[in-house]
Amino acid sequence: MHHQVLTNDSSSNGPADARVEFVCRPQRAAEARDAIAAFLERLDPPPRSDTVQNLLLLVSELVTNAIRHAGGVSSLRFAADRRALQIRVSDRSSAHPQDRTPDLTGRSGGFGWPMIRRLAHDVQVRSREGGGKVVVATVGR
């Protein structure tokens, strides 16, 4: 899995407006959890522990959905500024996530998408030019 810090933009507005971004391409949800944990360790001030737990669960569900339903993750991006933390998962499928009746036997899932929408303050699904989509989940800092 490739990791790269894209920017640490502390523009003329000062450090309070600084934005940090990170990109990788995990093959498994565990790699995505490791990546977001490493990203969050770099933030100052660090997010609250309940926010960290929500982000770990969010990234795990988003990446699992991309692997299971969209053929894998094209890119996983994290961004943070003083107000919010954002997870962006891109994949090659143009099919948007759908609500399904949860399978209580645990065989076919159906719990992830509703959980993602509950944990994030905002979730958007955007079509990408040239095909595919990006799911953007935002959590308040």
Side-chain angles (χ1 to χ4, degrees), residues 4-141:
Q4 178 183 5
V5 174
L6 294 177
T7 62
N8 187 351
D9 177 23
S10 46
S11 62
S12 60
N13 295 331
D17 291 330
R19 181 174 173 88
V20 178
E21 294 185 356
F22 183 86
V23 66
C24 61
R25 189 173 175 212
Q27 303 297 310
R28 296 183 305 275
E31 292 174 352
R33 288 189 300 272
D34 290 345
I36 198 162
F39 173 75
L40 296 173
E41 286 177 7
R42 296 178 178 180
L43 298 181
D44 186 24
R48 295 185 336 244
S49 62
D50 61 325
T51 302
V52 170
Q53 293 304 312
N54 286 346
L55 289 165
L56 287 166
L57 189 51
L58 266 171
V59 76
S60 186
E61 289 298 326
L62 287 165
V63 167
T64 297
N65 284 353
I67 292 167
R68 182 176 287 170
H69 303 292
V73 175
S74 299
S75 72
L76 172 62
R77 295 177 183 264
F78 308 125
D81 60 26
R82 66 183 174 100
R83 294 175 303 277
L85 298 147
Q86 189 178 77
I87 301 169
R88 299 170 65 96
V89 178
S90 300
D91 62 54
R92 290 180 285 284
S93 172
S94 58
H96 287 219
Q98 300 292 315
D99 282 325
R100 298 184 306 143
T101 302
D103 178 359
L104 299 178
T105 67
R107 283 180 248 156
S108 65
F111 296 94
W113 187 240
M115 184 185 314
I116 289 164
R117 291 195 328 249
R118 277 193 310 276
L119 290 172
H121 289 102
D122 183 54
V123 180
Q124 298 178 14
V125 181
R126 303 174 186 158
S127 297
R128 291 178 35 203
E129 189 173 316
K133 68 180 170 301
V134 60
V135 179
V136 182
T138 304
V139 174
R141 187 113 184 226

